Amino acid sequence: MSTLLEIKSSVLRQVQVCPSFRRKTEPEPESTSADPPEPEMGAWKPGDGMEFFAHMRLILKKEEGRQGLPCPEVLLRSGSPAPAEPVDPNRGLRALTQEEVEMLYEEALYTVLHRAGTMGPDQVDDEEILLGYLQQVFGTSPEEHTEAIKHVKKAKAPTYTLKVSVMRAKNLLAKDPNGFSDPYCMLGILPASGTPREQSRQKEQRFTFRKGSKHSSPLPAKCIRVTEVKSSTLNPVWKEHFLFEIEDVNTDQLHLDIWDHDDDVSLAEACRKLNEVIGLKGMSRYFKQIVKSARANGTAGPTDDHTDDFLGCLNIPVREVPVAGADRWFKLEPRSSASRVQGDCHLVLKLITTQRDTVMSQRGRSGFLSYLLLLSRILQFEHQAEESNSSSWHGEFSGPGSTILCLHGAQSNLSPLQLAVLHWQVSSRHHQTCTLDYGYLLGLLEDMQAHWEEAASLPQEQEESLADSFSAFSEYGLQLLCQLRDYFPATNSTAVYHLELLLKCLDKLQLFQPSFEICPFETELNMDIAAALKRGNREWYNRLLNTKSPREQSGPQRLPGLVELADIIYEDLQACYGIYASLFHGILKVDFFTLTFRQLERLLAEEAWVLTEELNPKMTLQVASGLFELYLTLADTQRFWSCIPGRDGRSLALAGIHTPFLPAVKIWLQVLRDQVKWRLQGAVDVDTMEPVDASSKHSSSAATASLCFSHIQELWVRLAWPDPAQAQGLGTQLSQDMCGAALFYTELLRKKVDTQPGAVGEAVSEPLCVVLNNVELVRRASGQALRGLAWPEGVGGVEATLPRPLLSCTHALEEDLQHEAHTVTAHLTSKMVADIRKYVQHISLSPDSIQNDEAVAPLMKYLDEKLALLNASLVKENLGRVLEALWELLLQAILQALGGNSDVSADFYGRFHFTLEALVSFFHAEGQGLPLESLKDGSYKRLEEELRLHKCSTRECIEHFYLDKLKQRSLEQNQFGRLSVRCYYEAAEQRLAVEVLHAADLLPLDTNGLSDPFVIVELGPPHLFPLVRSQRTQVKARTLHPIYDELFHFSVSAEACRRRGACVLFTVMDHDWLSTNDFAGEAALGLSGVSGISRSQMGGGMRAGQPITLHLRQPRAQVRSALRMLEGRTNKEAQEFVKKLKELEKCMEADP
């Protein structure tokens, strides 16, 4: 390998000329102050570069999470419980006094003891359980509890009232001829005294407000109400509401009839006057009038055509009304077995109380207020029972708790809207003292919204109370949003879900704003949210700044903290875009990301400008390193904004921030240049020149070099210097440094392999194979890295668009590393030259008695063994280089063997022809090896031609000489000029006519820039035309475009003209009077295609054939090889032919 050290590549020579490729040891006199000084060794000292590149990898690792826009699935990394939210006991409902607690306790006991109606399947009907539950809720002793119950039992029972809402009916019978009915309802309460009497008098009939018997007594009823008549419908809608006082909730029942109105003056009008009747006697007389105007079961005589028809009835015991009320369809019933009815009626029933004998009722406390206090007490009790996981409590009350609340709400006649409002007020207030689940709160708002749309507005006092709860909750929510990152971290999926629900709650509050007569918000809630977010951003930034980079410290002390702060802000902006932005925009239509990005990047830019102004005058290596890392994050921040779709077009505060960082970047790149060399030196020093593992064929130092180049290229992409002129200077410097590092590495490899002793007799050197693989890996890695260094005007990655300095550097390095690879390849194969010559000599000395494959077998076995080793040791590209080198060695060895043997048998050349074909098949390897085009080019053509000619007779060689002339094509058609001729065969005279017409663009061979050309016309090969002599035209003086128009006849047979290789040869010469004539060019025309030879001549006696333009040329290598073959033959025919040609060659110029 000592010869390798003497080779200097073109890039190394360029390094010696171009100072930018080398580290300047002294500053140039003409250097300007703008160039950074050589960095003093501060942060990064000479060594193996490992610490420097470990730090670089940390910088690049940041970039891994900054590719493109962030993905929520990547940001949400934790499903742990969300951080605890701040609670304040003072934000809850007002604490009750002892007297108020006792009053509330009495109210709850009174509700339980005077419960009425049917309990639902999830409710508790056991009085002892309900009373015991209240004892626990209020924390009373058994004695106090017993005394309170006795006191409540002595109180007067409340008055019960049944609230009935007749909503609609469907699928009624059609009683009118038009296929419809005109339905209306009559309803009232049947007291306990009337029910058994009616059942005993007529068991088959159910009670109805109209009786068929004219002797019947007045119908017992406490109160009768009637709805409006709905004309021409079978599906009437009434939505009318009635109140009925109940004497006995256990025995009274609600009765409802539906009639088809047919009378001008019917039950409907009569019943409208019912409320005008005073006293029971008056009511009895009035019911007699009703009986007279009705007919049983809708049957009427000829004089009673206007009676109403029965459509169905309902009988509902009051005791069966559910505690929570009933809102359902009831199936209509017939009043007797003979009645035919159909359809359903939709009723809403609710049993309420009035005149409650409790202290709260006596003092005028509304049921709304008492329910609010009771709900608050029960909610606190139930939530404390779930303290282990209180923040996820969904408001699931126990059976006794929900039963008591249902009883009190129903008895207090609270509407669904009022109940929803009360649950929201109590729960939202309680949430601020002890966190509840936001999904539960959102459900309360949705429930309230649904009832709000259906019901009328609330009383003013209740609406004001609700508005206060909205204001308190929104104030609490804004407080949380101000500390968004603390309570809803973007990495915690649970917290983010809580944030989503909180935002939905705030959005629901906005929906109620237009419905309030008293607006709970002074400004738009969206504006308050945006202001809270801005305030939170500023407070968060100030906390970070004071923690990471306090302004009281000096600039160098603040720099590392500011780098960390910039990284934290970038991660926060990613979270804002990937997590928070979609929530705020999708729910509240607040552009949280733009708001946050603009605010934080402005604050960060202001801090960076101030710090760089302070640090630039006292730049050190440590400061430059910190500023470089800070700039990378700032550049990433700007790129992040540019990737946002639909961003606003206003410029950023970070625009132009690169300017003060330029000196630091230049110093850092100089440090990078030195650290790369130290890293490569250290890597080669510890390299064992063995493959790193079974799957890799390069050593550890090549992997290190490749990684270094990759890191440099990635760092340049991250740098993305925006100023084109400055980027060109930085990129040019970096590319030159990278080229120098790649060549420095190959020099280290050469020195390393030279110091290692090779094994004696080793034909394939393992270290050389590793070196060759290393060079190839570095070639690809450095080339890819260089192409990635394109600056702004060369973005695209395609070689044609690379900036010119970078393109030149890339080509120069590619040329040098390719040359290096071929040099190592030559050194690797040089150890096989002796063996190859030995085996080729074995083939040439093998007797004719053995078969060709036996003679070639030792060579093929040797090649197979060595190439198996090479294939295992080399990568594909290097294996191809070695195969090409071995192929050339084999061809040269065979040519040398052929040249050393003369006057041998044809079998000798046939054996080598067999060898050549076997080697072609071996090296091609069915498409897995070298391509056939590469194998059958260059030396192969020469060898194949010689083998082919050696197997031919003398006359066949001469024919090949002329055939090769016919196959020749001028590489440059106008280089030697053109000759126009006409050729045809005159069959009658049995002669060939050759007409030389003119020539053009001949070579100027005289000193005057012209020539004196003439043309020699001859037929060949000579053995086909032995009696034909050559002829020539006249000399045309001083011209490059001579006109001849001369006709020559050759008496030859047509059969001879059709023979293989038969042609007419035109040789253009320059006539010289004082010296030998000069060769100007030649051209050959095959006779087999001449008119009269290829077909019978038409129109005998006339000249035939079109003019032909022939391009002149000089004899090529194939023609010369046939001539050399004939020179080696001793027979007379060959010697005479060679002698004749040599006489002509004396007039020709040497082949260029």
Side-chain angles (χ1 to χ4, degrees):
M1 285 292 290
S2 59
T3 56
L4 295 179
L5 296 175
E6 299 173 1
I7 299 175
K8 288 189 176 181
S9 66
S10 60
V11 171
L12 282 177
R13 290 192 295 272
Q14 188 175 357
V15 169
Q16 297 169 2
V17 175
C18 180
S20 61
F21 267 37
R22 286 185 177 271
R23 173 87 176 273
K24 297 178 183 179
T25 56
E26 297 181 0
E28 295 184 2
E30 299 177 358
S31 62
T32 62
S33 59
D35 294 330
E38 286 295 324
E40 72 280 3
M41 293 298 106
W44 308 113
K45 298 179 180 179
D48 59 3
M50 293 185 66
E51 182 182 355
F52 178 87
F53 277 92
H55 182 70
M56 184 188 288
R57 281 193 295 273
L58 290 178
I59 296 176
L60 293 175
K61 192 173 182 181
K62 297 178 187 177
E63 180 67 14
E64 294 178 4
R66 300 178 180 180
Q67 298 292 336
L69 296 177
C71 178
E73 289 76 10
V74 176
L75 296 174
L76 294 172
R77 298 186 293 269
S78 171
S80 58
E85 297 178 9
V87 293
D88 183 4
N90 296 325
R91 298 187 66 90
L93 295 175
R94 177 183 63 84
L96 300 180
T97 65
Q98 182 61 32
E99 181 185 8
E100 289 173 328
V101 171
E102 293 175 357
M103 292 166 54
L104 183 62
Y105 188 30
E106 178 197 21
E107 182 76 19
L109 293 175
Y110 190 87
T111 299
V112 172
L113 293 174
H114 294 286
R115 66 192 183 280
T118 302
M119 294 292 183
D122 297 330
Q123 293 175 326
V124 178
D125 197 19
D126 190 318
E127 184 175 284
E128 291 300 323
I129 294 177
L130 296 176
L131 295 175
Y133 174 80
L134 287 175
Q135 181 186 0
Q136 295 178 12
V137 170
F138 285 88
T140 58
S141 64
E143 295 78 12
E144 293 172 337
H145 181 63
T146 303
E147 186 65 26
I149 293 176
K150 289 181 180 179
H151 172 72
V152 172
K153 285 183 176 180
K154 293 178 181 179
K156 182 181 178 180
T159 300
Y160 294 95
T161 302
L162 182 64
K163 186 177 182 180
V164 181
S165 298
V166 182
M167 305 304 292
R168 58 181 62 82
K170 63 180 180 180
N171 302 328
L172 300 178
L173 276 177
K175 292 292 187 176
D176 296 340
N178 61 1
F180 294 98
S181 294
D182 304 318
Y184 64 93
C185 296
M186 293 180 62
L187 62 161
I189 298 297
L190 297 181
S193 58
T195 304
R197 183 171 66 251
E198 295 306 322
Q199 291 179 349
S200 62
R201 183 170 298 185
Q202 190 171 357
K203 294 183 180 179
E204 293 184 1
Q205 290 187 349
R206 298 194 180 189
F207 177 81
T208 179
F209 290 118
R210 303 176 63 185
K211 300 298 293 181
S213 173
K214 58 185 178 182
H215 301 291
S216 60
S217 61
L219 297 179
K222 295 175 64 178
C223 186
I224 299 175
R225 296 287 185 269
V226 64
T227 66
E228 292 183 357
V229 177
K230 299 297 180 180
S231 301
S232 302
T233 179
L234 301 180
N235 301 286
V237 177
W238 290 290
K239 291 187 179 180
E240 298 185 32
H241 311 283
F242 308 96
L243 290 175
F244 298 99
E245 186 176 325
I246 304 299
E247 290 184 357
D248 190 342
V249 295
N250 294 316
T251 59
D252 286 0
Q253 65 177 350
L254 171 69
H255 180 82
L256 179 144
D257 283 347
I258 301 181
W259 298 86
D260 170 39
H261 175 67
D262 286 329
D263 213 358
D264 290 338
V265 180
S266 65
L267 289 176
E269 293 182 6
C271 290
R272 284 193 184 96
K273 298 181 180 180
L274 183 60
N275 290 332
E276 301 175 3
V277 178
I278 301 175
L280 294 177
K281 292 184 178 180
M283 183 179 292
S284 178
R285 288 194 300 270
Y286 207 81
F287 270 106
K288 289 180 180 179
Q289 297 177 12
I290 294 175
V291 171
K292 291 178 181 179
S293 65
R295 293 293 182 270
N297 202 23
T299 59
T303 60
D304 298 319
D305 294 335
H306 300 290
T307 58
D308 293 349
D309 296 321
F310 179 74
L311 296 178
C313 67
L314 292 174
N315 288 286
I316 303 172
V318 174
R319 67 177 180 275
E320 294 181 4
V321 176
V323 171
D327 183 355
R328 69 184 185 89
W329 290 88
F330 294 85
K331 188 173 182 60
L332 295 177
E333 304 171 355
R335 63 183 178 181
S336 68
S337 59
S339 301
R340 185 171 69 87
V341 299
Q342 70 177 35
D344 303 272
C345 184
H346 180 197
L347 300 179
V348 178
L349 307 175
K350 191 173 185 180
L351 193 60
I352 64 177
T353 62
T354 57
Q355 302 178 12
R356 296 168 64 87
D357 189 14
T358 63
V359 176
M360 292 192 77
S361 297
Q362 293 169 1
R363 293 187 179 182
R365 303 289 178 89
S366 65
F368 186 90
L369 177 60
S370 60
Y371 187 92
L372 181 144
L373 298 176
L374 181 61
L375 173 61
S376 177
R377 191 83 180 192
I378 292 177
L379 179 65
Q380 292 178 22
F381 175 78
E382 295 276 356
H383 196 187
Q384 288 174 358
E386 297 287 338
E387 195 63 38
S388 59
N389 194 16
S390 60
S391 63
S392 62
W393 192 59
H394 288 74
E396 302 97 343
F397 291 99
S398 63
S402 60
T403 300
I404 292 171
L405 289 174
C406 180
L407 286 171
H408 192 276
Q411 292 178 18
S412 301
N413 191 25
L414 297 178
S415 67
L417 174 60
Q418 289 175 312
L419 291 173
V421 167
L422 286 166
H423 276 267
W424 160 255
Q425 287 184 234
V426 172
S427 299
S428 64
R429 287 286 189 176
H430 180 74
H431 171 71
Q432 299 169 49
T433 64
C434 189
T435 308
L436 298 174
D437 184 86
Y438 281 105
Y440 167 62
L441 296 177
L442 179 61
L444 294 178
L445 285 171
E446 291 173 345
D447 185 43
M448 185 166 57
Q449 181 186 7
H451 292 299
W452 194 283
E453 295 172 354
E454 296 177 0
S457 60
L458 293 171
Q460 181 177 349
E461 180 182 356
Q462 297 178 13
E463 184 175 309
E464 290 176 356
S465 176
L466 178 60
D468 290 341
S469 73
F470 280 0
S471 297
F473 184 79
S474 62
E475 180 183 345
Y476 177 76
L478 293 176
Q479 177 186 345
L480 294 180
L481 295 181
C482 191
Q483 297 173 277
L484 175 73
R485 298 163 181 84
D486 298 327
Y487 300 124
F488 308 105
T491 56
N492 189 308
S493 58
T494 306
V496 170
Y497 180 62
H498 287 179
L499 173 63
E500 180 181 0
L501 295 176
L502 170 61
L503 297 181
K504 289 182 177 180
C505 289
L506 294 175
D507 181 55
K508 289 294 181 185
L509 298 189
Q510 291 189 110
L511 297 178
F512 284 98
Q513 186 169 349
S515 304
F516 281 105
E517 294 182 5
I518 302 174
C519 181
F521 308 118
E522 295 181 0
T523 60
E524 290 289 338
L525 186 57
N526 277 8
M527 298 174 61
D528 293 338
I529 291 172
L533 293 173
K534 287 183 179 180
R535 185 170 63 254
N537 289 338
R538 186 59 187 254
E539 293 174 357
W540 175 76
Y541 176 83
N542 289 337
R543 287 201 309 270
L544 279 178
L545 185 64
N546 293 331
T547 303
K548 304 295 182 183
S549 182
R551 291 192 174 96
E552 298 78 19
Q553 296 178 347
S554 63
Q557 290 177 316
R558 294 189 60 204
L559 181 57
L562 192 59
V563 173
E564 187 178 354
L565 174 63
D567 290 337
I568 293 174
I569 288 176
Y570 187 93
E571 292 178 2
D572 182 74
L573 292 175
Q574 283 187 310
C576 289
Y577 183 83
I579 301 296
Y580 299 136
S582 59
L583 295 179
F584 279 91
H585 187 270
I587 298 172
L588 297 172
K589 301 299 183 289
V590 173
D591 192 355
F592 174 62
F593 175 74
T594 300
L595 177 149
T596 302
F597 188 95
R598 288 285 185 183
Q599 186 177 11
L600 293 182
E601 73 92 17
R602 177 178 53 80
L603 294 171
L604 188 59
E606 292 173 357
E607 209 66 37
W609 279 106
V610 172
L611 192 61
T612 52
E613 289 178 2
E614 178 184 350
L615 292 177
N616 273 336
K618 44 187 176 182
M619 185 73 66
T620 64
L621 185 57
Q622 186 173 4
V623 168
S625 177
L627 288 176
F628 180 80
E629 189 172 353
L630 175 60
Y631 174 74
L632 290 180
T633 299
L634 297 180
D636 287 341
T637 304
Q638 294 184 77
R639 279 193 294 273
F640 183 34
W641 177 253
S642 66
C643 294
I644 303 301
R647 63 187 182 279
D648 62 60
R650 292 178 295 147
S651 61
L652 298 176
L654 285 172
I657 195 68
H658 63 281
T659 303
F661 285 91
L662 182 60
V665 172
K666 288 184 176 180
I667 291 177
W668 197 89
L669 291 181
Q670 292 175 7
V671 175
L672 175 63
R673 174 192 61 199
D674 296 334
Q675 291 291 335
V676 168
K677 290 187 177 180
W678 292 334
R679 184 70 187 97
L680 294 178
Q681 179 72 65
V684 173
D685 289 343
V686 299
D687 197 346
T688 60
M689 304 307 291
E690 296 177 352
V692 291
D693 52 48
S695 61
S696 303
K697 298 180 181 181
H698 55 266
S699 65
S700 59
S701 64
T704 300
S706 176
L707 193 60
C708 287
F709 296 146
S710 175
H711 286 347
I712 293 172
Q713 189 265 333
E714 290 179 33
L715 210 61
W716 175 259
V717 173
R718 270 199 73 189
L719 189 63
W721 200 258
D723 185 271
Q726 296 173 356
Q728 179 175 354
L730 295 175
T732 301
Q733 174 191 340
L734 191 59
S735 61
Q736 292 171 353
D737 292 343
M738 191 182 295
C739 289
L743 297 176
F744 176 72
Y745 174 72
T746 59
E747 290 178 2
L748 294 175
L749 285 180
R750 290 197 225 122
K751 295 176 182 178
K752 179 84 173 182
V753 79
D754 273 347
T755 59
Q756 292 187 347
V760 179
E762 183 184 31
V764 177
S765 171
E766 180 71 20
L768 279 178
C769 291
V770 172
V771 169
L772 189 57
N773 291 333
N774 288 354
V775 171
E776 174 60 24
L777 180 62
V778 169
R779 183 191 70 81
R780 288 188 277 110
S782 59
Q784 182 177 356
L786 282 173
R787 287 188 292 273
L789 295 184
W791 38 88
E793 67 268 24
V795 174
V798 182
E799 189 174 81
T801 63
L802 291 178
R804 182 170 297 179
L806 184 57
L807 186 61
S808 174
C809 188
T810 303
H811 284 168
L813 181 62
E814 173 71 14
E815 179 184 345
D816 289 333
L817 293 180
Q818 287 283 9
H819 184 268
E820 185 71 23
H822 284 101
T823 302
V824 178
T825 300
H827 193 73
L828 180 63
T829 56
S830 64
K831 299 186 177 184
M832 304 172 65
V833 171
D835 291 336
I836 288 175
R837 289 177 179 173
K838 180 181 69 175
Y839 287 110
V840 170
Q841 186 70 16
H842 170 77
I843 296 173
S844 66
L845 297 178
S846 297
D848 296 341
S849 58
I850 68 173
Q851 298 294 325
N852 290 336
D853 51 356
E854 294 180 14
V856 177
L859 174 62
M860 304 302 290
K861 181 180 179 182
Y862 170 80
L863 292 175
D864 187 60
E865 292 174 354
K866 299 310 174 189
L867 290 182
L869 294 175
L870 291 170
N871 184 49
S873 303
L874 296 174
V875 296
K876 183 178 180 180
E877 294 82 356
N878 288 331
L879 182 62
R881 291 189 180 100
V882 172
L883 288 176
E884 290 175 356
L886 286 178
W887 178 244
E888 187 62 27
L889 285 177
L890 284 165
L891 294 179
Q892 294 299 330
I894 295 175
L895 283 171
Q896 185 178 1
L898 293 179
N901 293 274
S902 60
D903 294 332
V904 293
S905 64
D907 291 340
F908 175 86
Y909 298 107
R911 176 165 296 169
F912 271 108
H913 192 274
F914 175 84
T915 301
L916 183 61
E917 295 304 316
L919 289 173
V920 168
S921 177
F922 178 83
F923 277 82
H924 182 56
E926 297 180 349
Q928 301 301 313
L930 296 178
L932 290 176
E933 298 79 9
S934 175
L935 289 170
K936 295 185 176 183
D937 197 10
S939 299
Y940 173 87
K941 292 182 177 180
R942 176 186 167 192
L943 177 58
E944 185 190 38
E945 181 68 15
E946 291 204 13
L947 289 174
R948 180 173 61 86
L949 294 176
H950 273 300
K951 293 194 302 181
C952 298
S953 63
T954 298
R955 289 194 171 183
E956 288 176 333
C957 282
I958 293 173
E959 288 178 0
H960 277 294
F961 175 82
Y962 285 97
L963 285 173
D964 289 339
K965 285 186 176 291
L966 289 172
K967 293 177 183 177
Q968 274 188 240
R969 293 290 182 268
S970 177
L971 297 179
E972 297 183 15
Q973 295 184 348
N974 295 328
Q975 183 176 358
F976 299 100
R978 303 180 301 278
L979 179 67
S980 294
V981 300
R982 183 186 287 114
C983 191
Y984 51 91
Y985 187 76
E986 297 174 346
E989 289 80 7
Q990 291 192 351
R991 62 183 183 182
L992 178 68
V994 179
E995 195 172 354
V996 180
L997 301 175
H998 54 83
D1001 299 327
L1002 299 180
L1003 289 176
L1005 299 177
D1006 293 342
T1007 56
N1008 58 5
L1010 300 173
S1011 293
D1012 303 317
F1014 65 94
V1015 182
I1016 301 173
V1017 185
E1018 59 181 336
L1019 302 184
H1023 61 269
L1024 295 180
F1025 309 104
L1027 302 178
V1028 177
R1029 301 188 62 176
S1030 63
Q1031 303 183 55
R1032 64 175 62 189
T1033 65
Q1034 296 179 358
V1035 176
K1036 300 297 181 179
R1038 295 186 300 279
T1039 180
L1040 300 180
H1041 307 280
I1043 298 175
Y1044 297 104
D1045 286 332
E1046 297 185 36
L1047 178 62
F1048 304 96
H1049 289 98
F1050 297 91
S1051 297
V1052 293
S1053 65
E1055 185 63 29
C1057 293
R1058 295 191 184 98
R1059 293 283 296 274
R1060 182 170 177 264
C1063 65
V1064 54
L1065 184 64
F1066 301 93
T1067 304
V1068 180
M1069 304 293 291
D1070 172 41
H1071 178 69
D1072 284 337
W1073 302 97
L1074 301 177
S1075 62
T1076 58
N1077 297 328
D1078 297 323
F1079 176 80
E1082 69 174 11
L1085 178 65
L1087 294 179
S1088 59
V1090 170
S1091 176
I1093 300 296
S1094 59
R1095 61 185 183 275
S1096 300
Q1097 186 172 342
M1098 302 298 294
M1102 296 178 58
R1103 293 186 178 183
Q1106 295 294 325
I1108 299 174
T1109 299
L1110 302 175
H1111 292 277
L1112 301 176
R1113 66 219 174 224
Q1114 289 191 347
R1116 298 295 174 187
Q1118 289 180 333
V1119 179
R1120 295 291 181 86
S1121 63
L1123 184 60
R1124 284 193 299 271
M1125 190 63 60
L1126 291 170
E1127 288 176 347
R1129 301 204 175 185
T1130 57
N1131 60 72
K1132 182 179 179 181
E1133 186 175 11
Q1135 291 299 317
E1136 289 181 354
F1137 182 77
V1138 170
K1139 181 180 178 182
K1140 178 181 177 183
L1141 289 181
K1142 283 188 175 182
E1143 290 177 355
L1144 180 61
E1145 277 191 351
K1146 290 179 181 180
C1147 303
M1148 296 183 182
E1149 293 180 344
D1151 192 3

